[in-house]
Amino acid sequence: MLLLTGTWIAAEAQFGETIRTGRPGTAMGPFTVGKKVFQVQTGINIGRTNHASGYKTNDYRNVLVLRYGIRERIEVSGVLAYSSVHPTSIEAPELSKSGISAAQIGVRFNIRDGKGSGPNIGIQSRLKLNTLSKDYEQKELANITVLALSQKIGKSLVLIANTGVSWSGNGDDAVALYALNFRIPISRKIAMFVENFGTIKEGDLTSRFDTGLGYFVNNDLKFDARIGLGSNRGVEDYFGEVGFSWRMVGNR
């Protein structure tokens, strides 16, 4: 059934003249990169967390995402992330950790291109590999699956909505994911967004807000930046991120 679906959705055009990338927000768009398109997305995230215990940590994360379109509406991808957390006080050494914090491989399908009316719909599923550093130990293989929708509102505003589920690989219950992202063009080369995203586990909601800008250098290169914050159960965190997305288009 999956193969038949993949064959059917690959029959329609998917490639966008301008690069499509989820950066700099958290929400994932429903589109794939297009057949024979290789895309790189990367960013550096630096933040500060005020823990409920009273301690503070400086947080760093670098994420690399590689995407390749094997059909117009089917892509494969890989994710590698390095994270580092260090307390601002030597009195809390147990909060210090660093190393490879994520390693994933997966596939994305664009199920529906909502030309004319209705939303664009896509789904992505990635396998979370248990090859992480000791500080971010994952005992078993796990999965993260996200359903993505986008809908144009009026002449220019675009709403992107995500819902999904993620397993840790450490025997914990699954975590529900969500993201709501509003994208607003400012000019032909600059677009901004505002976003709310978070998780729900056993009825407990963790939520954050962020906003940022993307600058299109050309059709194949985009730079971005964002800032965000969260306050959940006595834990406050603030973060900023800069990055870029670049694609190489093969013979079509």
Side-chain angles (χ1 to χ4, degrees):
M1 179 63 180
L2 184 60
L3 291 176
L4 290 175
T5 302
T7 303
W8 174 74
I9 63 179
E12 299 179 3
Q14 176 70 18
F15 176 72
E17 289 302 319
T18 302
I19 186 171
R20 289 167 168 157
T21 170
R23 295 195 55 85
T26 297
M28 177 195 89
F31 294 106
T32 60
V33 294
K35 186 178 180 180
K36 296 183 179 180
V37 176
F38 174 70
Q39 187 161 308
V40 178
Q41 302 171 191
T42 188
I44 295 174
N45 187 305
I46 298 176
R48 167 71 65 89
T49 301
N50 301 328
H51 297 265
S53 61
Y55 293 113
K56 299 179 181 180
T57 56
N58 293 321
D59 312 316
Y60 169 88
R61 192 167 193 250
N62 180 210
V63 180
L64 173 65
V65 181
L66 304 177
R67 303 167 61 186
Y68 181 74
I70 58 175
R71 300 291 295 270
E72 284 297 343
R73 293 180 178 244
I74 307 175
E75 73 172 43
V76 292
S77 61
V79 178
L80 188 66
Y82 174 86
S83 298
S84 178
V85 178
H86 294 290
T88 59
S89 169
I90 61 174
E91 298 175 0
E94 71 278 2
L95 297 178
S96 181
K97 58 183 180 179
S98 62
I100 302 300
S101 57
Q104 304 173 8
I105 54 173
V107 61
R108 182 186 300 189
F109 298 91
N110 177 245
I111 300 171
R112 184 178 190 273
D113 187 336
K115 291 181 178 178
S117 63
N120 307 295
I121 303 173
I123 188 168
Q124 176 176 278
S125 186
R126 284 180 175 152
L127 184 66
K128 301 166 74 172
L129 306 178
N130 55 342
T131 55
L132 309 183
S133 299
K134 183 178 180 180
D135 286 343
Y136 298 92
E137 183 180 8
Q138 177 185 313
K139 296 179 180 179
E140 302 174 350
L141 295 174
N143 175 264
I144 177 171
T145 298
V146 177
L147 177 69
L149 298 89
S150 71
Q151 178 68 58
K152 190 172 182 180
I153 302 173
K155 293 184 178 180
S156 56
L157 180 66
V158 175
L159 168 64
I160 299 176
N162 288 179
T163 182
V165 62
S166 176
W167 286 265
S168 70
N170 290 317
D172 300 336
D173 293 335
V175 176
L177 314 171
Y178 81 90
L180 292 172
N181 180 302
F182 291 90
R183 300 196 175 182
I184 310 156
I186 296 176
S187 69
R188 189 174 63 87
K189 285 184 171 289
I190 301 175
M192 71 168 292
F193 79 94
V194 291
E195 180 182 59
N196 172 233
F197 64 96
T199 62
I200 303 173
K201 183 177 181 180
E202 297 179 347
D204 191 5
L205 171 66
T206 299
S207 182
R208 293 179 175 84
F209 295 87
D210 62 346
T211 184
L213 294 171
Y215 174 72
F216 294 87
V217 178
N218 52 48
N219 286 347
D220 302 318
L221 177 62
K222 176 185 176 184
F223 289 101
D224 60 68
R226 68 167 172 163
I227 55 173
L229 58 85
S231 180
N232 301 277
R233 300 180 303 283
V235 177
E236 298 178 345
D237 60 289
Y238 311 86
F239 60 88
E241 183 172 1
V242 293
F244 72 90
S245 301
W246 169 81
R247 70 177 181 180
M248 180 172 62
V249 181
N251 294 330
R252 305 184 62 78

